[in-house]
Amino acid sequence: MRCFAVAAAMTFAVGNTQAQVGQPANNKPIAVQSTNTPVTQKTIAVVGAKIYSGEGDPIENGTVIVIDDKIKAVGKDIAVPAGAEVIQAKGAVVTPGFVDAITHVGLAEIDLEKSANDESDSKGDDRIRAAYRAVDAFNPESTVIAVTRLGGITSVGVVPSGGVIAGLSAWADLTGKGASDALTNTSLAVHVYLSAGSDPQGGSRGAIVRAVREAFDDARFFQKNKSAWERNQSRPFSAGRLDLETLSLTFGASGAGAKKTQPKVPVVFHADKASTILSALSVAQEFNLTPIIAGGAEAWKVRTTLAKAKVPVIVNPIQPGPDSFDTLGTRDNNAALLHEAGVPVIISTGETHNSRKLRQLAGNAVRAGLPHSAAITSITKTPAEAFGMGEKYGTLKDGKWANLVIWSGDPLELSTKVTTLFIRGKKVPLVSRQTELLKKYRVARQ
Amino acid sequence: MKRTLLLAIGALFTACASTPPPIQTPQMPQPTPVLPPPPWDRPSIAQGLELPVPLGPLVVIRNGTLLLATGRRITRGTLVLDKGKIAAVLDGDVPAPAGAVVIDATGKYVTPGLIDTHSHLGVYPMPGAAAHQDVNEMVAPVTAHAQAADAFWPQDPGIERAVAGGVTAMQVLPGSGNLIGGRAVTVKLRPGLSSRAMHFRDAPDGLKMACGENPKRVYGEKKQAPMTRMGNLALQRNAFLSAKKLEREWEKWAENETRRLQKEGKKRQDFEAKRAHRERQKNLCNSSVPPESCEQWAKEWEKPLDEPESSDPIEKPPRDPGLETLIAAMHGKVLVHVHCYRADDMLNMLALSDEMGFRVKSFHHALEAYKIRNELASRGGIGVSTWADWWGFKLESYDGIPENAALVHEAGARAIIHSDSSEGIQRLNQEAAKALAAGIAAGVSITEDDAIRWITVQPAWALGVDSKTGTLEVGKDADVVLWDKNPFSVYASAEKVWVDGVLVHDKTVAKPPWSDFEVGQENGEIDAVETPQRGQKQ
C-alpha cells in the first residue's frame, strides 16, 4: 500500500500524454506504456484495486479502463487494452471523484475579507437575489480548489448564500481552469434559505416562507405575462426581472410559448427544522418544483414524507447538536435513519476551506449507522443524480467523465490519503498552496 | 547538655541573689508579621467553593489496549480504578478482586480522558440565541475582570455531547473579541449545577488574551482603540503596566504595614517586658529576704504602665479584580492563554511577555506555529493549541497547514489539539488522527502514542493539571475513556467515560439527558400532513 503511494506520487502529471514509469520500493515498474500507442488517444488501466463504483458493493481486485477523458469500462475481469498505461493499484481503493454538493469553493478565498469573498450578493437587505449567479464570481485560481482536491473531491456545488433566495449555483469540476472549462452546469439549482435568521429584513420563519411564495408566484405570473410586462401593463413584483427569469428556470418550461419542456432546475431549500422542511415541501408542491432539502438536521422526523416524495436530503453528519432553535432534534444517526427510510441521502460539508473534510463526514455517518457503501453513494452518485448531473458524474461507468481517485486505503478512514487523482482522465498534481508552504518550512531534523 | 547547665545556673541565681537584676528590656528579634494574602494570590476564583467530588467504585478494565499517553502503550493490559484514582496499570490480565465492576475490553482501547484547552461550551452555549451570548464582553478591549466561571451555563447540551466524545476536562474561556478577555475556568465534565460545582479541584484559572484581527476589528469598526496591531500591543502593554503599578502599591502597602506591625509589636514587647520586670521585682520583694532596693523600686511601680496604643492598619490598595488577575498572571498563579494565529503576532506577544514578566502558557490556534517551532521549543514550555485543518476563514488563518501540530511536536515544542468548537470537542480523537496522518505523510517520525498526548497530557500541562490527569498512571484521577475501536479511526466511539472513577457516559445505556434544556423537548417523528407529491418524478 505504502509502496503504491510512493510510486503514485512520483508519477503525477497534468495532461501528460507521455508514458509514466515509476520505480516503487518493490522495484516493480508500476506504470508502463507501449511505444506504439496512438498519440491521439490515451488509455489508462487501473488494475488490482478495490473499486467502489459509487453504487452497490465494492468490486475486489477490479479494473478501471479510462480512454482520454471518459471511463470506458469497470469490472472484475476486464482485459487491459494494448498500449494502456497500467497503474497497479493492489491494496488500493478506487472511487469516483467525490462530490461536495454544497460549498462556496471558488467564491470565498477568505471568508472574513470582503474583497476576497464573493459568496453573497451582499446587497443591502434584499430578500430575493435569485439572479446572483455563482458563475459570475467563480474564481478558478482560488487556492481552495487545490486544497479541496487533496480530499479526493473532484466536483463541488458552488453555492451562493445571503438573503432568502440567494441565487443560482453552479457545478464545478476542480480542474483549476476558468468557468468555461470548470463549470459544466451554470444553472445547477436555486437556493432558498428558510431557517430563522435567514431573512436580512429580520422576518420570522413565516415571513420567510411568505416571501418565497410571493417570489415564485411573481415568477409564474411573469413567465406567463412577459409581453404584458414589457408593455408596462403588468402588476408590481416583489423581485427584479432577472430574479424572476431565474426563478422561472425552476418551472421547467422556458416561457409561455415554449414548445419544448426544459428540465427543471431544482430548488434547494436550506431548512433544518422539521416543520420548516414541511413548509418547503408545501411550497414545492404549490409551484410544482423539484425540491432538495439541505441542512435537514431534523429531516429524520419527517423521513416518511420525504421518502414518499423522493426528495433528496443533504445532511451534515457532524452537526454538533441542538445548536439553534432550528436544530433541536439533531441526531447523529440522521443520515442512517433517512437512508433506511428510503430517502436519497447526500452528505455535504456546506464548507469552503474544509470541503476536504467530506470523507470524514461520511465516515462519521457510517460510525452512526449508515452502511459504508451508502456513505460512498451519498458523496458520489446521489448528489450527481439529485442535481441532474447523473449522466456524466457520480459513478464509474462507461461514458462518464473519468473523475476518479486512487486511495491508499478505505477512503473514509482518517489515516488514508489520496495517491492519484484524475479529473476527466488527467492526472492532477497532488499539490496545493499548503503543500508548497510545507515544503518551504519543512527542514527535516537531523 | 550545655543548655541544661545554663538553665540550672540561672535558677540558682534567681533563687539566691541578693542583688536584683538590672532593669532592661530584652532585645528579642522581631518575628516578621504575617500579612493576609493579597487578593490576587488565589489561583482560581472557584477555589474553596467547590462541592465534594463523588469518587467512583472499584473498576477493573481487562484485556484492553492501554494508550498510556506517556509515550508507551500496553497491548493487553489491565487498568484498575478505585476511589476516584487510577489504582493500578498492569501488563497482562489479573484476577479481579471481589466486588469490583469488571469490564472486558478485549479488542477495545483505553485512554486517559481527553482534555480540551479551548472551549466556549457553557458561555456560548447551545442553542445559539441572543440570550446565550455570554462569551465576549465587548464593551472595552481590556476586561480582565470578567470571569467565564460567572457565565458558564452547566445546562449546555454541548457538554454531554463532549463527554460522549471522550472529553473529561476542558478550559472554558472568554472569547477573543477583546485584547484581554478575562478569566477562564477549568472544569471537569461531570453533571453539576454551576461552574464552581464542576471546577477541576486545584486547577488554576487561565487568562484569555488575543492577538491580531479580532480585537482590532471589533473596536476599529467602532472607531475606537485598538484599530491596528500597534494598538493591540500598546493597550496590552498599558494594561500590564497598570497592573504593575497596582502590584507596587501592594508591595508598598506590605512594606508599610509590616513596618507598622513591627513597630506595634516592638511597643507591645517593651510593655510586656516592663510589666514582667515589675512582676519579678514584686515577687522578689515579697520573698522572705526582700532586696534593699525594694523601696526605690516601689516608687517606680507607682508610675502608670499603660497598654501601648494600637495604630490603625494602613489602608490596602483599592480592589481591582482585573488588574489583580494580571498580577496573578505575572506571578504564574493564573496561566496565560493567547489567541494568536500569525508567527509574527506570536513573536510580538512573546516580546511583550518578556518585557512585562509574564509567561505564555499556551498559544491558541497558532496556525503559523510551524514557522517558529524552534523558537517555541527553545523557550522550554509553550503549548501550541491548534486544529488539524481549519484555515482560510480569515486572512491571519491563510497559512494554516495540516502538518502544523506534527512539525511543532517534531521540533520538541508542546503540540496540543484543541477545539474552540462545539463540534470539534466531540471529535478530538479524529482531529488528532488527521494531524497525525498529515505528519506521517510529511515524513515526520510520529506514532499514535505521540498523538494521543496531544489531546491528553499536553493539554493537561497547559491547564496546570498534568500532575492530576492526562495519563494512565497510578495515583492520577480516574479520568478514563473506553473506546470501542482504535480512537484514531473515524469509526471509533467512546463507549464508556469515567470522571474521577464515576461512570459519566455509557453509550450502551440510554439515559435521560444531562441538560435540563433537553428534558421534555419533543423528539419524535412528526409526519402527519398529506404527503406532497413531487410531480416530475412520480
Side-chain angles (χ1 to χ4, degrees):
Chain A
M1 201 187 291
R2 182 169 297 171
C3 300
F4 174 77
V6 172
M10 288 167 63
T11 56
F12 67 70
V14 189
N16 195 343
T17 53
Q18 297 298 310
Q20 295 293 329
V21 181
Q23 208 63 42
N26 64 5
N27 289 329
K28 283 183 194 155
I30 54 95
V32 182
Q33 184 178 339
S34 77
T35 48
N36 57 2
T37 307
V39 288
T40 51
Q41 210 180 44
K42 182 170 166 69
T43 304
I44 297 168
V46 181
V47 302
K50 180 175 184 175
I51 298 168
Y52 289 91
S53 71
E55 56 187 341
D57 292 330
I59 304 161
E60 298 287 347
N61 195 19
T63 299
V64 182
I65 306 292
V66 171
I67 296 181
D68 289 339
D69 51 8
K70 302 279 185 350
I71 289 162
K72 184 66 193 165
V74 179
K76 205 167 172 52
D77 300 304
I78 293 188
V80 175
E85 175 191 331
V86 176
I87 296 177
Q88 281 290 353
K90 204 155 184 60
V93 171
V94 174
T95 66
F98 290 160
V99 177
D100 195 357
I102 306 287
T103 76
H104 312 296
V105 172
L107 295 184
E109 181 69 2
I110 294 154
D111 295 333
L112 283 182
E113 209 53 54
K114 211 170 162 40
S115 60
N117 187 344
D118 296 315
E119 202 176 299
S120 162
D121 189 291
S122 295
K123 201 178 66 184
D125 65 352
D126 283 0
R127 284 171 160 167
I128 311 303
R129 309 169 183 189
Y132 188 77
R133 307 192 311 161
V135 58
D136 294 332
F138 180 74
N139 171 19
E141 293 187 302
S142 167
T143 62
V144 180
I145 288 172
V147 170
T148 305
R149 277 198 300 249
L150 295 186
I153 293 157
T154 56
S155 301
V156 295
V158 183
V159 176
S161 70
V164 171
I165 300 184
L168 192 61
S169 59
W171 177 285
D173 287 349
L174 300 182
T175 59
K177 302 271 167 46
S180 62
D181 174 81
L183 304 191
T184 55
N185 184 349
T186 56
S187 301
L188 189 65
V190 166
H191 292 262
V192 180
Y193 291 79
L194 296 178
S195 293
S198 302
D199 184 1
Q201 296 173 23
S204 65
R205 291 181 188 84
I208 291 169
V209 173
R210 186 189 62 202
V212 172
R213 182 174 281 115
E214 190 173 26
F216 278 105
D217 187 61
D218 283 347
R220 191 160 59 183
F221 186 88
F222 173 78
Q223 194 185 33
K224 285 181 184 152
N225 304 285
K226 212 167 184 175
S227 51
W229 180 86
E230 272 160 2
R231 292 193 309 273
N232 209 10
Q233 291 175 349
S234 180
R235 71 187 201 195
F237 293 129
S238 65
R241 178 177 60 86
L242 291 180
D243 292 322
L244 299 178
E245 298 262 25
T246 304
L247 292 180
S248 298
L249 300 174
T250 66
F251 303 141
S254 58
K259 292 208 172 75
K260 230 171 81 181
T261 305
Q262 303 288 316
K264 290 182 186 181
V265 167
V267 179
V268 179
F269 291 97
H270 296 253
D272 284 306
K273 202 172 171 58
S275 54
T276 310
I277 293 170
L278 294 179
S279 297
L281 295 184
S282 129
V283 170
Q285 189 183 30
E286 192 178 329
F287 295 96
N288 200 19
L289 306 172
T290 303
I292 297 171
I293 300 296
E298 293 188 347
W300 65 272
K301 290 186 176 185
V302 290
R303 59 191 185 276
T304 313
T305 303
L306 289 163
K308 271 190 196 155
K310 296 190 175 63
V311 175
V313 178
I314 304 173
V315 298
N316 171 13
I318 60 169
Q319 160 67 29
D323 63 351
S324 78
F325 279 94
D326 286 286
T327 60
L328 293 186
T330 296
R331 295 182 68 140
D332 60 0
N333 61 348
N334 190 24
L337 290 173
L338 290 168
H339 171 74
E340 206 176 80
V343 178
V345 173
I346 297 166
I347 290 173
S348 171
T349 63
E351 269 270 6
T352 305
H353 299 85
N354 267 342
S355 168
R356 61 179 167 187
K357 280 173 69 173
L358 182 63
R359 63 201 189 92
Q360 186 193 357
L361 267 58
N364 276 278
V366 173
R367 181 168 79 103
L370 185 68
H372 189 277
S373 58
I376 299 278
T377 303
S378 74
I379 51 178
T380 52
K381 184 187 178 206
T382 312
E385 290 186 346
F387 285 91
M389 304 297 285
E391 199 185 317
K392 289 282 183 191
Y393 295 91
T395 57
L396 300 178
K397 257 194 184 153
D398 182 12
K400 292 199 182 185
W401 289 123
N403 292 353
L404 63 142
V405 185
I406 309 179
W407 303 85
S408 63
D410 175 2
L412 307 188
E413 191 52 279
L414 303 165
S415 55
T416 301
K417 59 180 185 174
V418 175
T419 59
T420 311
L421 184 137
F422 296 88
I423 297 182
R424 295 184 207 149
K426 289 179 183 172
K427 273 183 204 154
V428 181
L430 298 177
V431 294
S432 70
R433 182 167 177 275
Q434 297 190 350
T435 63
E436 293 298 307
L437 277 166
L438 171 66
K439 205 159 84 184
K440 183 173 175 188
Y441 283 94
R442 177 86 176 103
V443 182
R445 266 162 84 82
Q446 300 305 313
Chain B
M1 182 69 173
K2 206 179 205 176
R3 193 181 161 82
T4 322
L5 191 69
L6 280 173
L7 279 174
I9 292 169
L12 195 73
F13 174 80
T14 312
C16 313
S18 54
T19 348
I23 297 177
Q24 58 176 356
T25 324
Q27 290 300 316
M28 300 282 283
Q30 275 282 326
T32 313
V34 179
L35 300 179
W40 43 265
D41 199 43
R42 213 161 52 140
S44 172
I45 58 141
Q47 197 181 43
L49 299 169
E50 298 103 333
L51 299 177
V53 177
L55 300 178
L58 181 62
V59 179
V60 179
I61 305 168
R62 297 169 61 193
N63 294 323
T65 296
L66 312 182
L67 304 185
L68 304 180
T70 58
R72 277 187 58 227
R73 70 169 65 193
I74 298 173
T75 44
R76 192 164 167 275
T78 305
L79 189 73
V80 182
L81 317 178
D82 192 23
K83 298 187 188 72
K85 301 286 173 193
I86 294 173
V89 184
L90 303 160
D91 200 339
D93 198 10
V94 291
V101 179
V102 180
I103 288 155
D104 181 18
T106 305
K108 298 175 182 175
Y109 283 68
V110 183
T111 68
L114 310 188
I115 297 168
D116 192 355
T117 58
H118 197 117
S119 179
H120 301 301
L121 288 181
V123 291
Y124 187 43
M126 296 180 189
H132 273 168
Q133 303 290 336
D134 282 321
V135 71
N136 270 312
E137 183 71 5
M138 291 186 294
V139 292
V142 176
T143 54
H145 55 281
Q147 307 177 144
D150 291 335
F152 181 79
W153 185 49
Q155 305 292 350
D156 185 346
I159 295 170
E160 185 177 7
R161 286 165 174 80
V163 175
V167 178
T168 56
M170 64 180 179
Q171 176 172 239
V172 181
L173 305 110
S176 53
N178 285 350
L179 293 167
I180 300 180
R183 270 188 191 244
V185 66
T186 295
V187 294
K188 280 218 184 180
L189 299 195
R190 54 175 163 256
L193 288 172
S194 75
S195 57
R196 272 93 179 165
M198 293 169 68
H199 183 234
F200 194 130
R201 190 71 54 113
D202 297 330
D205 287 345
L207 173 67
K208 173 70 179 289
M209 294 177 60
C211 301
E213 290 179 21
N214 286 8
K216 80 186 186 95
R217 183 183 63 246
V218 168
Y219 293 95
E221 280 173 2
K222 299 189 218 175
K223 302 282 178 227
Q224 288 172 20
M227 189 175 275
T228 63
R229 282 181 159 82
M230 298 184 285
N232 283 356
L233 269 293
L235 293 195
Q236 282 162 337
R237 181 179 289 106
N238 282 350
F240 277 97
L241 289 174
S242 301
K244 277 175 178 296
K245 198 172 157 208
L246 180 61
E247 188 188 13
R248 274 197 301 278
E249 283 178 37
W250 274 102
E251 282 165 4
K252 200 90 192 154
W253 171 82
E255 270 170 38
N256 292 339
E257 182 68 354
T258 302
R259 204 172 299 138
R260 179 187 73 82
L261 289 172
Q262 275 171 340
K263 217 160 150 186
E264 209 164 74
K266 173 81 167 54
K267 275 190 203 158
R268 166 65 58 180
Q269 213 171 35
D270 289 351
F271 166 75
E272 297 292 352
K274 271 184 192 158
R275 196 164 62 179
H277 190 72
R278 285 186 185 185
E279 283 306 304
R280 240 174 9 248
Q281 288 177 333
K282 283 177 185 168
N283 285 342
L284 284 174
C285 296
N286 284 339
S287 69
S288 49
V289 207
E292 289 160 13
S293 43
C294 279
E295 222 168 296
Q296 197 189 331
W297 290 351
K299 280 180 195 161
E300 192 68 21
W301 299 343
E302 279 160 18
K303 290 183 189 162
L305 185 57
D306 294 333
E307 289 264 341
E309 268 179 39
S310 63
S311 57
D312 288 334
I314 293 170
E315 201 181 339
K316 288 178 184 170
R319 285 296 314 274
D320 188 326
L323 294 181
E324 287 161 13
T325 293
L326 298 186
I327 299 171
M330 289 188 285
H331 284 255
K333 301 253 176 198
V334 161
L335 307 178
V336 178
H337 295 269
V338 190
H339 155 118
C340 228
Y341 287 89
R342 272 179 13 193
D344 53 312
D345 280 339
M346 286 187 267
L347 292 175
N348 291 337
M349 180 52 65
L350 288 176
L352 181 74
S353 74
D354 290 343
E355 181 188 341
M356 291 296 121
F358 64 90
R359 182 177 156 201
V360 175
K361 189 73 176 184
S362 181
F363 282 114
H364 289 232
H365 316 334
L367 289 192
E368 294 186 11
Y370 67 95
K371 297 182 182 177
I372 53 168
R373 58 196 190 275
N374 291 329
E375 166 79 13
L376 294 171
S378 72
R379 282 175 171 258
I382 293 183
V384 174
S385 298
T386 190
W387 296 291
D389 51 18
W390 286 23
W391 73 288
F393 42 93
K394 48 163 73 173
L395 195 45
E396 64 189 358
S397 71
Y398 197 46
D399 286 3
I401 63 172
E403 297 81 5
N404 192 33
L407 293 179
V408 163
H409 172 93
E410 184 189 43
R414 290 179 186 266
I416 295 164
I417 300 293
H418 71 348
S419 80
D420 190 14
S421 148
S422 57
E423 180 271 305
I425 195 171
Q426 297 174 23
R427 291 171 193 82
L428 284 176
N429 59 314
Q430 293 182 19
E431 297 304 304
K434 286 187 289 182
L436 171 66
I440 290 172
V444 179
S445 170
I446 36 171
T447 64
E448 289 173 355
D449 294 307
D450 297 316
I452 191 69
R453 290 169 62 80
W454 302 347
I455 49 177
T456 54
V457 70
Q458 298 292 29
W461 173 86
L463 303 182
V465 292
D466 53 324
S467 65
K468 299 180 175 61
T469 190
T471 59
L472 298 182
E473 287 179 295
V474 173
K476 286 207 173 174
D477 293 355
D479 301 339
V480 175
V481 186
L482 173 69
W483 301 88
D484 59 358
K485 293 182 184 67
N486 182 331
F488 291 95
S489 165
V490 74
Y491 306 121
S493 293
E495 198 173 285
K496 289 184 166 59
V497 180
W498 293 266
V499 171
D500 293 314
V502 176
L503 188 64
V504 292
H505 168 74
D506 189 340
K507 200 187 171 204
T508 61
V509 179
K511 276 190 176 169
W514 282 20
S515 167
D516 293 347
F517 178 79
E518 291 194 272
V519 172
Q521 299 277 5
E522 275 304 325
N523 234 352
E525 290 181 67
I526 63 163
D527 288 294
V529 293
E530 197 68 24
T531 306
Q533 299 300 305
R534 196 178 181 204
Q536 210 184 27
K537 290 198 175 174
Q538 290 306 303

